[in-house]
Amino acid sequence: QVRLVESGGGLVQAGGSLRLSCAYSGITTSINAMGWYRQAPGKQRELVARVMYNGNTRYADSVKGRFTISKDNAKNTLYLQMNSLKPEDTAVYYCSTYIYSGGRDYWGQGTQVTVSS
């Protein structure tokens, strides 16, 4: 059973940094994609950053140069380092994995990030 648990959210001032973590378990294949999404109040959930099984990464234009996604396979943990945070980064951040063999994705419960101006 795939399980994703996010942590590391909180309240930070604009210009500050946070690192989100996503501890995952139950993923039995390396052929997957893992990513971070976010959803602000009244808005649709959007992709923030994603890392493919081959190491390729993709970022939303709004976070390029400020956020970095990384994965530690030994610790079964996905990270999102967020620097130079802006009030518009305020959202609930979700960890997700897409398993290609099963053709479905899985989600964590989310962690709140609030950036004050």
Side-chain angles (χ1 to χ4, degrees), residues 58-98:
R58 176 185 173 186
Y59 294 90
D61 289 341
S62 58
V63 307
K64 282 181 182 176
R66 300 188 298 122
F67 291 11
T68 303
I69 189 170
S70 62
K71 187 179 173 188
D72 188 331
N73 291 325
K75 295 183 178 180
N76 284 357
T77 303
L78 181 74
Y79 300 100
L80 184 69
Q81 178 65 45
M82 305 186 294
N83 299 327
S84 302
L85 282 160
K86 304 176 181 180
E88 51 263 42
D89 294 319
T90 295
V92 177
Y93 284 70
Y94 297 90
C95 174
S96 176
T97 184
Y98 180 80

Side-chain angles (χ1 to χ4, degrees), residues 9-23:
L11 174 64
V12 64
Q13 288 189 330
S17 298
L18 281 175
R19 188 176 80 158
L20 304 184
S21 299
C22 172

